[in-house]
Amino acid sequence: MGLIKFVAMGSDEAKAFRNGAPDAYGMKPERRLSDGGGIPCRHCLRSVPEGKPYLILAYRPFPQTQPYAETGPVFLCAEECERAPDSDVMPALFRARTEWLLRGYGHDNRIVYGTGAVTPKQDICTRAHELLQREDIAYLHMRSAQYNCYQVRIDRA
Protein backbone atom coordinates (compact mmCIF):
# COMPACT_ATOMS: atom_id res chain seq x y z
CA MET A 1 0.00 0.00 0.00
CA GLY A 2 1.24 3.47 -0.85
CA LEU A 3 1.07 6.75 1.02
CA ILE A 4 -2.62 7.43 0.31
CA LYS A 5 -5.75 5.34 0.09
CA PHE A 6 -9.05 5.80 -1.72
CA VAL A 7 -11.87 4.92 0.71
CA ALA A 8 -15.38 3.96 -0.48
CA MET A 9 -18.60 4.38 1.49
CA GLY A 10 -18.74 1.88 4.34
CA SER A 11 -20.80 -1.30 4.03
CA ASP A 12 -22.91 -0.63 7.13
CA GLU A 13 -23.89 2.78 5.80
CA ALA A 14 -24.69 1.39 2.33
CA LYS A 15 -26.77 -1.41 3.85
CA ALA A 16 -28.72 1.06 5.97
CA PHE A 17 -29.62 3.12 2.88
CA ARG A 18 -30.63 -0.02 1.00
CA ASN A 19 -32.90 -0.91 3.91
CA GLY A 20 -34.63 2.47 3.71
CA ALA A 21 -32.65 4.54 6.21
CA PRO A 22 -33.28 8.25 5.64
CA ASP A 23 -30.74 10.26 3.71
CA ALA A 24 -29.17 13.54 4.82
CA TYR A 25 -32.49 15.32 4.22
CA GLY A 26 -34.55 12.74 6.11
CA MET A 27 -35.96 11.24 2.92
CA LYS A 28 -36.05 7.60 1.87
CA PRO A 29 -33.58 7.01 -1.02
CA GLU A 30 -35.21 7.05 -4.47
CA ARG A 31 -35.04 3.86 -6.52
CA ARG A 32 -34.38 3.96 -10.29
CA LEU A 33 -33.15 1.68 -13.09
CA SER A 34 -29.74 2.37 -14.62
CA ASP A 35 -29.48 3.30 -18.27
CA GLY A 36 -25.86 2.11 -18.08
CA GLY A 37 -24.19 5.50 -18.22
CA GLY A 38 -22.86 7.74 -15.51
CA ILE A 39 -24.26 6.02 -12.42
CA PRO A 40 -21.22 5.56 -10.11
CA CYS A 41 -21.93 3.56 -6.95
CA ARG A 42 -20.07 5.07 -3.98
CA HIS A 43 -19.81 1.67 -2.26
CA CYS A 44 -18.38 -0.66 -4.94
CA LEU A 45 -16.88 2.25 -6.95
CA ARG A 46 -18.20 0.76 -10.19
CA SER A 47 -20.89 1.95 -12.57
CA VAL A 48 -24.33 0.48 -11.99
CA PRO A 49 -24.94 -1.77 -15.03
CA GLU A 50 -27.76 -1.04 -17.47
CA GLY A 51 -31.11 -2.37 -16.28
CA LYS A 52 -29.98 -2.76 -12.67
CA PRO A 53 -31.67 -0.81 -9.87
CA TYR A 54 -29.86 1.95 -8.03
CA LEU A 55 -30.61 4.45 -5.31
CA ILE A 56 -30.29 8.23 -5.41
CA LEU A 57 -29.92 9.92 -2.05
CA ALA A 58 -28.73 13.12 -0.43
CA TYR A 59 -25.39 12.30 1.16
CA ARG A 60 -23.39 14.21 3.74
CA PRO A 61 -20.00 12.47 4.22
CA PHE A 62 -19.33 14.16 7.56
CA PRO A 63 -19.92 12.99 11.14
CA GLN A 64 -22.18 15.92 12.07
CA THR A 65 -23.88 18.91 10.54
CA GLN A 66 -21.96 22.18 10.51
CA PRO A 67 -21.55 24.98 7.98
CA TYR A 68 -18.93 23.14 5.90
CA ALA A 69 -20.69 19.77 5.82
CA GLU A 70 -21.69 19.75 2.15
CA THR A 71 -24.65 17.61 1.17
CA GLY A 72 -25.29 16.40 -2.35
CA PRO A 73 -26.68 13.62 -4.48
CA VAL A 74 -24.94 10.25 -4.77
CA PHE A 75 -25.78 6.92 -6.37
CA LEU A 76 -25.66 3.51 -4.74
CA CYS A 77 -26.33 0.02 -6.12
CA ALA A 78 -29.81 -0.89 -4.86
CA GLU A 79 -28.76 -4.52 -4.63
CA GLU A 80 -25.95 -5.64 -2.37
CA CYS A 81 -22.52 -5.10 -3.89
CA GLU A 82 -19.01 -5.73 -2.66
CA ARG A 83 -17.34 -2.68 -1.14
CA ALA A 84 -14.33 -1.46 -3.08
CA PRO A 85 -11.19 -2.24 -1.10
CA ASP A 86 -9.10 0.65 0.19
CA SER A 87 -6.36 1.19 -2.36
CA ASP A 88 -3.55 3.56 -3.23
CA VAL A 89 -4.52 3.15 -6.89
CA MET A 90 -7.22 5.42 -8.30
CA PRO A 91 -10.29 3.22 -8.93
CA ALA A 92 -10.95 2.56 -12.62
CA LEU A 93 -14.34 4.26 -12.30
CA PHE A 94 -12.62 7.63 -12.00
CA ARG A 95 -10.19 7.25 -14.90
CA ALA A 96 -12.75 8.13 -17.60
CA ARG A 97 -12.94 11.80 -16.58
CA THR A 98 -10.13 14.22 -17.31
CA GLU A 99 -10.25 16.14 -14.02
CA TRP A 100 -11.63 16.11 -10.49
CA LEU A 101 -12.02 18.57 -7.66
CA LEU A 102 -9.69 17.70 -4.79
CA ARG A 103 -10.26 19.41 -1.43
CA GLY A 104 -8.71 19.09 2.02
CA TYR A 105 -10.58 18.99 5.34
CA GLY A 106 -9.20 19.63 8.80
CA HIS A 107 -9.54 17.57 11.96
CA ASP A 108 -12.68 19.61 12.70
CA ASN A 109 -14.21 18.36 9.38
CA ARG A 110 -14.14 21.84 7.88
CA ILE A 111 -12.63 22.91 4.56
CA VAL A 112 -9.00 23.91 4.78
CA TYR A 113 -8.91 27.06 2.66
CA GLY A 114 -6.47 27.06 -0.23
CA THR A 115 -6.60 23.28 -0.72
CA GLY A 116 -9.47 23.02 -3.19
CA ALA A 117 -8.51 22.81 -6.85
CA VAL A 118 -9.70 21.21 -10.05
CA THR A 119 -6.94 18.70 -10.68
CA PRO A 120 -6.12 16.67 -13.82
CA LYS A 121 -6.71 12.96 -13.15
CA GLN A 122 -3.05 12.10 -13.74
CA ASP A 123 -2.09 14.47 -10.90
CA ILE A 124 -4.66 13.32 -8.30
CA CYS A 125 -2.40 10.87 -6.43
CA THR A 126 0.56 13.26 -6.37
CA ARG A 127 -1.58 16.20 -5.20
CA ALA A 128 -3.34 14.02 -2.60
CA HIS A 129 0.02 12.91 -1.23
CA GLU A 130 1.23 16.52 -1.05
CA LEU A 131 -1.88 17.71 0.77
CA LEU A 132 -1.87 14.84 3.24
CA GLN A 133 1.69 15.72 4.27
CA ARG A 134 0.23 18.80 5.95
CA GLU A 135 -0.61 18.44 9.65
CA ASP A 136 -3.68 20.66 9.32
CA ILE A 137 -5.32 18.28 6.82
CA ALA A 138 -7.07 15.18 8.16
CA TYR A 139 -8.47 13.81 4.87
CA LEU A 140 -9.49 14.77 1.34
CA HIS A 141 -12.58 14.53 -0.79
CA MET A 142 -12.46 13.87 -4.49
CA ARG A 143 -15.51 15.49 -6.05
CA SER A 144 -16.89 16.05 -9.53
CA ALA A 145 -15.20 19.03 -11.15
CA GLN A 146 -18.46 19.83 -12.97
CA TYR A 147 -21.10 19.33 -10.27
CA ASN A 148 -19.17 19.17 -6.96
CA CYS A 149 -20.75 15.76 -6.18
CA TYR A 150 -18.86 13.71 -3.61
CA GLN A 151 -17.09 10.72 -5.16
CA VAL A 152 -14.63 9.20 -2.69
CA ARG A 153 -12.60 10.01 0.40
CA ILE A 154 -8.81 9.94 0.34
CA ASP A 155 -6.94 9.19 3.58
CA ARG A 156 -3.35 8.62 4.62
CA ALA A 157 -2.39 4.99 4.23
Side-chain angles (χ1 to χ4, degrees):
M1 181 78 73
L3 302 171
I4 65 169
K5 61 182 174 182
F6 292 85
V7 180
M9 178 189 289
S11 293
D12 289 344
E13 191 171 24
K15 182 178 180 179
F17 288 131
R18 287 186 188 108
N19 289 332
D23 68 9
Y25 293 145
M27 312 262 303
K28 183 177 178 180
E30 296 178 14
R31 188 178 177 96
R32 303 271 174 92
L33 286 180
S34 174
D35 63 5
I39 311 295
C41 176
R42 300 323 194 274
H43 180 251
C44 66
L45 300 182
R46 294 188 303 255
S47 291
V48 180
E50 184 175 0
K52 292 290 187 179
Y54 68 95
L55 303 176
I56 304 173
L57 57 116
Y59 189 60
R60 186 179 57 247
F62 298 92
Q64 70 275 340
T65 57
Q66 40 92 358
Y68 292 90
E70 299 115 321
T71 301
V74 298
F75 305 119
L76 184 64
C77 292
E79 298 170 347
E80 188 174 336
C81 60
E82 185 176 337
R83 182 181 177 273
D86 294 353
S87 175
D88 62 341
V89 176
M90 180 186 284
L93 174 68
F94 304 124
R95 294 184 204 147
R97 300 240 180 197
T98 60
E99 59 190 16
W100 296 97
L101 174 60
L102 203 58
R103 184 183 299 142
Y105 294 84
H107 299 279
D108 60 357
N109 298 299
R110 293 170 184 252
I111 294 169
V112 176
Y113 284 100
T115 62
V118 174
T119 306
K121 71 178 172 187
Q122 66 271 17
D123 298 335
I124 291 291
C125 293
T126 300
R127 179 70 177 143
H129 176 258
E130 290 170 358
L131 288 170
L132 289 170
Q133 294 302 302
R134 294 176 44 174
E135 290 184 21
D136 61 332
I137 296 178
Y139 59 91
L140 309 173
H141 281 178
M142 193 170 86
R143 292 173 170 266
S144 164
Q146 290 77 26
Y147 306 110
N148 193 38
C149 297
Y150 172 83
Q151 302 296 316
V152 69
R153 180 173 162 142
I154 304 174
D155 285 332
R156 291 174 183 85

